Amino acid sequence: MNKKKKPYGGISNISKYLLEQYGERGVLVKRGRAILMNQQSMETISGRRTRNCSVVAVTRVLDYYRKKNNITAIPEDIRETYKIVEEIAESYGYTDKFGTIPFFISGIAKEAFSLYGIKAKCKGVYVWTFEKQVVKEISEGRPVIMNIARGYYKDHTVVVAGYSIWRVGNKFYPMLRVIDGWRSGYHYIDYEAFAKDISQSIFGSFNTIVLK
């Protein structure tokens, strides 16, 4: 067993990570629904490198529903959508220097959808479960915005776009598939290590979005 603590996030190879972290190769026991959405980096979408992770996350979700529900009001170019979302975020106090206050993510998302004539129920969830906020939402084809206060993704917002459950020995390890925006593509969060990392503290929030 490798006793060196590995970070819970930024994982690109789950099998390799499980072997290094828990001493055995994991066996995939369940793969949740895959949500396909824009995976470009924050810098590519916004045109600059700054603390705009929450603004980009909301933009990704808008772009996802544009494609999924064929919403023609939302621009096809995600960079155009980003500019609109950033303007809304600024009215909630967003700045490049300080980023977005996490409590306002759901409000920004709701207002952004409303601007395009879409009613959306956007909810910040601060007491959560893997089953309810991840499995249920992903199974319904709804990506989740996740703001994290500590650890590898400290003060960062990612989009959860899938999950899988792995078995190592007789223990099960859920892995969240996320788009973190630091780099393009999908990465993974070890939910078990993440939950331990933030135990006994308020870590941030899940933001669920349901179109009416």
Side-chain angles (χ1 to χ4, degrees):
M1 176 73 76
N2 188 342
K3 290 190 175 155
K4 189 182 170 200
K5 190 184 173 198
K6 302 276 178 197
Y8 63 71
I11 300 158
S12 52
N13 182 324
I14 295 175
S15 293
K16 184 170 179 251
Y17 168 84
L18 292 173
L19 180 63
E20 288 174 358
Q21 178 78 332
Y22 302 112
E24 277 183 53
R25 246 176 231 291
V27 177
L28 177 65
V29 292
K30 183 181 179 183
R31 189 188 295 283
R33 179 174 179 170
I35 292 179
L36 301 174
M37 56 197 301
N38 184 293
Q39 304 157 44
Q40 291 172 306
S41 69
M42 289 151 52
E43 194 173 356
T44 302
I45 289 171
S46 67
R48 62 195 199 279
R49 187 184 283 266
T50 188
R51 300 186 60 147
N52 57 0
C53 52
S54 298
V55 182
V56 171
V58 171
T59 303
R60 279 191 217 283
V61 174
L62 278 160
D63 185 69
Y64 166 74
Y65 283 111
R66 172 189 69 79
K67 286 185 234 172
K68 181 176 181 272
N69 295 6
N70 196 23
I71 302 167
T72 53
I74 298 173
E76 276 190 38
D77 186 347
I78 195 168
R79 290 168 297 185
E80 292 303 311
T81 310
Y82 173 83
K83 287 175 192 165
I84 300 292
V85 177
E86 187 181 72
E87 273 183 34
I88 294 167
E90 282 169 354
S91 73
Y92 282 82
Y94 164 79
T95 64
D96 279 359
K97 187 177 180 185
F98 297 108
T100 308
I101 295 169
F103 291 108
F104 294 147
I105 293 171
S106 56
I108 294 164
K110 186 176 180 179
E111 205 168 307
F113 276 106
S114 180
L115 189 73
Y116 294 114
I118 303 145
K119 281 189 177 174
K121 186 182 177 186
C122 305
K123 190 176 165 196
V125 182
Y126 304 95
V127 178
W128 48 275
T129 66
F130 175 72
E131 286 297 325
K132 204 167 176 191
Q133 272 66 54
V134 178
V135 175
K136 183 174 181 285
E137 294 300 305
I138 298 300
S139 300
E140 296 287 339
R142 297 192 292 256
V144 181
I145 296 173
M146 183 180 179
N147 174 264
I148 302 162
R150 288 178 56 185
Y152 183 82
Y153 285 128
K154 185 177 187 221
D155 296 333
H156 189 51
T157 298
V158 304
V159 177
V160 181
Y163 73 92
S164 53
I165 298 172
W166 295 69
R167 192 181 78 241
V168 178
N170 58 3
K171 255 201 110 178
F172 293 95
Y173 293 92
M175 307 293 291
L176 308 185
R177 185 168 83 146
V178 302
I179 305 165
D180 66 21
W182 287 346
R183 298 145 295 177
S184 61
Y186 295 110
H187 292 86
Y188 300 90
I189 287 176
D190 174 353
Y191 180 85
E192 192 76 14
F194 163 74
K196 279 181 190 156
D197 189 81
I198 56 83
S199 60
Q200 312 306 316
S201 75
I202 297 169
F203 73 94
S205 61
F206 277 98
N207 288 269
T208 58
I209 296 168
V210 180
L211 269 53
K212 294 177 181 175

